[in-house]
């Protein structure tokens, strides 16, 4: 078979009810040279298993025991035939021009560009949420969406997604690792990534409840990045106009995370996140 330009990787755990809307969004892409790989991450929902069994044969379905979102992403990327991969959660969608514009940017990009990402549009409010790449900002929050066009060779070079991070933020840790290895990402400043967000979804539920613990594990894994001298050096080097987190705000968040119990800090972040994402404040 001819090698596609892009492999779209879709982890799926009991998410069969979202598959049709996802595939419809892919069918509307103006760029057509891609393959679709759905990773069934041990689904035990009969409707999901039936949906996956009924898909067009051109869609590759990889079955595995449940390994969590990072494990499913890694499995899909590992068998991808293209040099460019797009991890895309099964409840999300992309607008028709995304692949065409992202592939064009990537093809013109130098070798240190690991990924192309765009801004997001939230399903719950329709609001656009801008994203950015800045190494200092990445120390304190995940500034890029999980759905980005990524060079497979760079995914492999940095070790893929951390499969121990089954409770969330595996994409944040991966993006931070990309930056730590000297790679960067290019912003496509249009809201082409349609992000499904609900009160019981991964971001507002599990990740927010465990934010303090998860960020602490990221800081522990990348301890060399989080000492005060290293943070100050990163801030100084990253003053290129792309940053949105001031030095004072970043250090304040870090200080709170250090002194507050994880559960208190997590509740604070959860309240701020819900207000921002659900109410636009």
């Amino acid at each position: 078979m001819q090698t596609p330009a892009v492999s779209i990787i879709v982890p799926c755990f009991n998410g069969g009810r979202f598959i049709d809307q996802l595939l419809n969004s892919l069918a509307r892409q103006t760029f057509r040279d891609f393959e679709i790989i759905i990773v069934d991450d041990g689904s035990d929902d009969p409707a999901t298993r039936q949906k996956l069994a009924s898909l067009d044969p051109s869609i590759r379905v990889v079955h595995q025991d449940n390994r969590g979102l990072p494990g499913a992403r890694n499995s899909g990327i590992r068998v991808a035939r293209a040099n460019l991969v797009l991890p895309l959660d099964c409840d999300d969608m992309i607008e028709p021009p995304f692949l065409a514009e992202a592939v064009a940017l990537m093809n013109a990009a130098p070798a240190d560009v690991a990924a192309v990402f765009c801004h997001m549009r939230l399903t719950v409010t329709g609001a656009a949420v801008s994203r950015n790449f800045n190494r200092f900002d990445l120390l304190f929050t995940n500034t890029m969406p999980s759905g980005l066009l990524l060079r497979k060779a760079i995914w492999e070079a940095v070790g893929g997604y951390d499969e121990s991070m089954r409770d969330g933020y595996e994409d944040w840790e991966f993006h931070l690792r990309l930056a730590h290895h000297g790679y960067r990402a290019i912003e496509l400043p249009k809201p082409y990534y349609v992000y499904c967000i609900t009160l019981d979804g991964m971001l507002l539920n599990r990740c927010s409840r465990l934010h303090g613990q998860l960020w602490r594990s990221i800081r522990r894994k990348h301890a060399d990045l989080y000492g005060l001298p290293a943070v100050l050096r990163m801030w100084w080097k990253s003053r290129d106009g792309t940053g949105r987190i001031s030095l004072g705000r970043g250090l304040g968040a870090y200080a709170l995370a250090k002194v507050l119990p994880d559960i208190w800090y997590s509740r604070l972040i959860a309240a701020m996140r819900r207000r921002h994402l659900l109410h636009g404040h």
Side-chain angles (χ1 to χ4, degrees):
M1 295 191 303
Q2 183 177 357
T3 302
V6 177
S7 295
I8 299 174
I9 312 301
V10 183
C12 179
F13 173 70
N14 292 342
R17 63 192 183 280
F18 302 113
I19 294 295
D20 285 342
Q21 68 179 20
L22 167 70
L23 294 180
N24 286 339
S25 85
L26 298 181
R28 295 194 300 270
Q29 291 299 300
T30 57
F31 181 91
R32 303 303 310 159
D33 188 11
F34 60 84
E35 66 172 348
I36 302 171
I37 301 171
I38 298 179
V39 181
D40 175 20
D41 191 37
S43 295
D44 53 15
D45 166 46
T48 294
R49 297 173 71 168
Q50 182 178 4
K51 168 57 70 174
L52 295 179
S54 68
L55 295 177
D56 188 281
S58 64
I59 299 172
R60 300 167 65 191
V61 179
V62 176
H63 298 279
Q64 66 179 30
D65 293 336
N66 183 263
R67 288 167 50 195
L69 191 53
R73 286 203 188 113
N74 283 341
S75 293
I77 296 174
R78 200 169 287 118
V79 301
R81 294 188 293 125
N83 295 323
L84 300 176
V85 296
L86 171 64
L88 192 62
D89 292 348
C90 65
D91 56 349
D92 296 332
M93 295 169 284
I94 51 176
E95 298 290 0
F98 174 72
L99 278 178
E101 296 186 28
V103 169
L105 282 174
M106 185 66 90
N107 287 341
D112 69 325
V113 172
V116 173
F117 66 95
C118 67
H119 295 179
M120 302 191 307
R121 180 166 58 82
L122 306 181
T123 56
V124 68
T125 63
V129 177
S130 61
R131 303 280 79 190
N132 72 304
F133 174 80
N134 179 277
R135 289 183 170 88
F136 177 77
D137 288 10
L138 270 172
L139 293 173
F140 305 100
T141 187
N142 190 14
T143 63
M144 296 188 291
S146 58
L148 39 69
L149 190 67
L150 174 69
R151 295 191 202 269
K152 180 178 177 178
I154 293 179
W155 163 86
E156 187 173 15
V158 302
Y161 293 91
D162 183 346
E163 297 192 17
S164 70
M165 300 191 69
R166 296 185 58 153
D167 288 321
Y169 290 171
E170 77 293 325
D171 51 341
W172 180 6
E173 191 279 330
F174 178 71
H175 300 157
L176 185 61
R177 194 153 18 102
L178 288 176
H180 188 34
H181 280 76
Y183 297 109
R184 59 191 177 96
I186 293 178
E187 172 190 354
L188 174 56
K190 299 175 184 178
Y192 287 160
Y193 183 52
V194 183
Y195 183 59
C196 179
I197 186 168
T198 60
L199 285 174
D200 60 350
M202 188 77 168
L203 180 63
L204 293 184
N205 186 16
R206 182 183 298 178
C207 289
S208 293
R209 284 191 293 106
L210 299 176
H211 178 88
Q213 173 185 330
L214 293 172
W215 189 27
R216 190 179 299 276
S217 71
I218 289 174
R219 298 197 309 270
R220 188 180 300 116
K221 181 174 181 178
H222 299 282
D224 56 328
L225 298 179
Y226 282 97
L228 183 58
V231 170
L232 293 175
R233 282 195 301 271
M234 186 63 74
W235 170 75
W236 186 260
K237 293 178 181 178
S238 302
R239 296 174 305 128
D240 57 3
T242 62
R244 296 172 190 171
I245 297 179
S246 67
L247 178 62
R249 182 180 166 198
L251 292 179
Y254 188 19
L256 279 176
K258 294 279 281 185
V259 301
L260 289 178
D262 285 345
I263 189 170
W264 291 6
Y265 189 67
S266 297
R267 287 174 179 172
L268 174 64
I269 294 298
M272 294 173 59
R273 185 172 281 162
R274 285 191 172 113
R275 183 177 180 188
H276 174 66
L277 294 178
L278 297 180
H279 304 291
H281 300 306

